[in-house]
Amino acid sequence: MPLLDQSLHRTEIRRLLSRLGIAYQQSGVAHEEWTERPSGEALPVLSPADGAELATVLLGAEEDYDDAVYLAQRVWPAWRDLPAPRRGLILREIADALRSSLDDLAALVALESGKILAEAKGEVQEMIDVADFAVGLSRQLYGLTMPSERPGHRIMEQWHPLGVIGCITAFNFPVAVWSWNAFLAAVCGNCVVWKPSEKTPLSAIAVHKICEPILARHGFRGVFTLVCGGGSVVGERMTADRRLPLISATGSSPIGRRIAEIVGGRLGRSLLELGGNNAAIVMADADPKLAVPALLFGAIGTAGQRCTTIRRILVQRSVADDYREYLLRAWEKVRIGHPLEPRSLCGPLINQAAVRNMRQALATIREQGGQVLFGGDAVELDYEGKPLLGGCYARPALVASPPDMPLLKEEIFAPVVHLVEFDDLDEAIAINNNVPQGLSSAIFTESLRAAELFLSPRGSDCGIANVNIGTSGAEIGGAFGGEKDTGGGRESGTDSWKAYMRRQTATINYSKSLPLAQGIQFDL
């Protein structure tokens, strides 16, 4: 239930929230919400763009979470029994509604998360694309038919929905990652309870304001439910809840490990998208016109706060000096500014704590033998000399690091990228793989042999491996996820829908005899 403090906000912000269905009264008290009086505390939502308070959200407590699960459980049998193609038609309506709200929702995502408007629009477009993907998927939830060794028998494998699943998302993709899970899970016949990040609850509320009227009109209110609450309250309750057979969670590796332990302890399933420590390998034969822009976006997109952000640029030694100059020139041209300013290429970090963590990481890099070549300082004026408020802006840093630096194994969730030199491809692959994380990776080369080796079993050990493109910006058609400390989950494309289903093998005997498998004789 958002509360709007009118003394702190421009009329444009109030109008934006109202257009997205987040209504308020003159007294500042929200109305027309799902829960009349949430039991949790009031949480101010601050924009990292200027430090302004966008709204205050009343958080849910355990009893509010239980109400959300109960609502989802109550509607699930009817949603499960609705034919999948008809579920797909409802998701088509949701896709159209998201199209109509794209600009407003993107503006809210930019204000709340700090990512530049172009990226925020891309995130909302990704939701639309996933919804369209789910519509097509509604007629392709295929099983298998297998020959039986017994005469007059047929074996088939089919898939059934799990029930009510839990989805925990992070601030850096406040709406898109939910859609990966929710739209695919829903078209498979599941309901979804969503706990968004406490840093970006307004974007989640706006999405539910778009989806809920459509589901309610068809008699399926509760297929998607939302609980804005703290991780120590709602998150812990959700992961331990046996009513939720699957928990999908996005976040850091330590948080994911904690979730996996709790969910595993009750023999539930977890789908984890955790940290990344992604490397891009630049071979001597790479095309700089292709590599440099890709490296720049991969390193500074979302101010370095993507799980797929390039953290390490591995450059073949013979061209290392050239690429150091290429990259320095590119980094110097980055326009840092307000995320709604169309010319901005890099917005703020999510909060001042993130800026402090970035500075601490740079200090550690220096202690461990690295050299800061560019950036890392706070930015108070944008590229046109206008003041940048909020204290969350920092210049993306380019660092020269030795390959044995301990910090190379850790994910710095900020725009800090290491330059590491190597001699040959085998060494580069070894450096690429020598980290606990295994999400995304890339190689830039004109050599077919090098590209194929990178993609071979001897190559990258990551869930994503790209050739001549960066580590970020995955399309929704391919399953997204990584290995090792990244959690092993797969979301969005190809057959990732199976994560939200239970597999059932069925054998049908249409003969008049009862032969047993493996030729076992059991006659009375």
Side-chain angles (χ1 to χ4, degrees):
M1 180 185 292
L3 307 178
L4 197 65
D5 183 346
Q6 296 178 54
S7 66
L8 294 177
H9 299 285
R10 300 182 301 274
T11 302
E12 292 80 359
I13 300 297
R14 296 198 293 269
R15 288 174 178 169
L16 173 65
L17 295 176
S18 294
R19 287 197 301 271
L20 289 168
I22 304 176
Y24 59 93
Q25 295 173 329
Q26 202 64 19
S27 63
V29 180
H31 62 92
E32 298 178 352
E33 296 296 334
W34 306 280
T35 300
E36 186 66 25
R37 293 180 180 176
S39 305
E41 62 184 11
L43 175 71
V45 182
L46 306 180
S47 173
D50 56 13
E53 185 176 313
L54 297 174
T56 298
V57 172
L58 296 182
L59 297 179
E62 283 198 39
E63 52 265 42
D64 304 304
Y65 164 77
D66 284 330
D67 288 344
V69 175
Y70 174 73
L71 177 60
Q73 285 184 309
R74 192 171 59 187
V75 75
W76 177 61
W79 182 251
R80 172 198 62 197
D81 293 343
L82 186 71
R86 291 181 60 188
R87 296 195 293 259
L89 292 177
I90 295 174
L91 284 170
R92 176 180 289 170
E93 292 184 39
I94 290 175
D96 290 340
L98 288 169
R99 285 187 180 91
S100 298
S101 300
L102 190 154
D103 289 339
D104 284 341
L105 186 54
L108 179 58
V109 167
L111 284 171
E112 195 174 33
S113 72
K115 63 174 56 179
I116 62 173
L117 187 59
E119 290 187 69
K121 287 184 175 180
E123 178 166 357
V124 179
Q125 183 60 52
E126 188 168 356
M127 297 182 74
I128 296 166
D129 294 343
V130 173
D132 288 341
F133 179 84
V135 174
L137 187 62
S138 69
R139 294 180 182 273
Q140 300 179 74
L141 301 174
Y142 299 134
L144 296 171
T145 300
M146 291 152 279
S148 171
E149 67 185 62
R150 290 168 284 185
H153 287 59
R154 177 169 62 87
I155 305 173
M156 68 178 185
E157 182 181 271
Q158 56 188 2
W159 299 84
H160 296 305
L162 291 171
V164 180
I165 71 168
C167 183
I168 301 172
T169 58
F171 76 86
N172 57 339
F173 281 88
V175 294
V177 172
W178 172 80
S179 73
W180 295 355
N181 289 274
F183 293 161
L184 268 62
V187 84
C188 290
N190 301 283
C191 297
V192 181
V193 180
W194 182 13
K195 193 204 92 62
S197 168
E198 298 99 303
K199 299 181 180 72
T200 52
L202 291 175
S203 298
I205 292 171
V207 167
H208 267 263
K209 280 292 189 177
I210 292 168
C211 297
E212 188 183 45
I214 297 170
L215 290 163
R217 186 171 67 247
H218 289 279
F220 295 107
R221 180 176 180 268
V223 168
F224 297 147
T225 54
L226 171 70
V227 185
C228 299
S232 61
V233 179
V234 174
E236 290 285 330
R237 179 77 173 88
M238 178 182 284
T239 52
D241 193 345
R242 295 181 65 88
R243 295 172 296 178
L244 306 184
L246 170 68
I247 298 295
S248 176
T250 303
S252 68
S253 295
I255 290 174
R257 193 171 288 110
R258 167 71 174 162
I259 291 171
E261 290 173 356
I262 297 173
V263 176
R266 61 178 174 86
L267 297 182
R269 303 186 194 180
S270 55
L271 197 169
L272 302 175
E273 297 289 357
L274 309 176
N277 192 351
N278 315 294
I281 297 172
V282 182
M283 302 298 293
D285 64 352
D287 182 354
K289 294 180 181 178
L290 209 61
V292 173
L295 296 172
L296 180 64
F297 175 74
I300 72 164
T302 318
Q305 298 170 118
R306 291 182 175 218
C307 54
T308 54
T309 293
I310 295 177
R311 307 288 176 200
R312 299 170 295 148
I313 299 175
L314 315 182
V315 185
Q316 197 158 20
R317 200 175 307 279
S318 62
V319 292
D321 290 342
D322 293 337
Y323 270 91
R324 188 179 296 109
E325 293 303 315
Y326 297 152
L327 296 175
L328 281 170
R329 288 200 295 266
W331 259 246
E332 289 169 353
K333 294 178 181 178
V334 172
R335 296 186 297 273
I336 300 170
H338 193 285
L340 293 184
E341 164 57 52
R343 294 180 60 199
S344 296
L345 292 181
C346 184
L349 278 76
I350 188 62
N351 53 30
Q352 293 182 22
V355 178
R356 290 194 296 270
N357 290 339
M358 176 178 173
R359 291 173 180 166
Q360 181 57 53
L362 290 172
T364 303
I365 286 170
R366 293 185 179 97
E367 293 170 1
Q368 295 182 359
Q371 179 186 3
V372 178
L373 303 175
F374 180 83
D377 52 310
V379 179
E380 298 180 356
L381 299 174
D382 71 6
Y383 50 90
E384 293 182 338
K386 299 175 184 176
L388 290 171
L389 305 177
C392 299
Y393 293 86
R395 204 174 308 280
L398 199 60
V399 177
S401 301
D404 58 350
M405 175 185 285
L407 199 62
L408 280 174
K409 294 181 181 292
E410 299 182 24
E411 180 186 36
I412 303 172
F413 213 63
V416 177
V417 63
H418 301 269
L419 287 179
V420 181
E421 297 181 15
F422 68 89
D423 289 313
D424 56 37
L425 182 55
D426 287 337
E427 181 186 0
I429 291 173
I431 296 171
N432 177 87
N433 296 348
N434 189 30
V435 293
Q437 308 84 359
L439 178 53
S440 191
S441 57
I443 187 171
F444 291 88
T445 181
E446 296 294 295
S447 166
L448 176 63
R449 180 173 287 107
E452 290 292 342
L453 178 60
F454 178 73
L455 298 176
S456 75
R458 290 173 48 199
S460 170
D461 65 358
C462 297
I464 299 170
N466 297 328
V467 177
N468 288 332
I469 62 171
T471 59
S472 285
E475 297 183 35
I476 62 110
F480 180 92
E483 302 301 323
K484 302 189 295 188
D485 279 9
T486 302
R490 292 296 185 276
E491 294 172 333
S492 189
T494 59
D495 67 347
S496 57
W497 60 270
K498 293 178 180 179
Y500 311 99
M501 304 283 265
R502 60 181 176 88
R503 188 193 310 247
Q504 185 178 77
T505 301
T507 303
I508 301 100
N509 179 3
Y510 58 90
S511 73
K512 292 185 178 181
S513 60
L514 192 64
L516 298 177
Q518 292 83 46
I520 295 175
Q521 299 296 318
F522 194 77
D523 298 326
L524 294 175

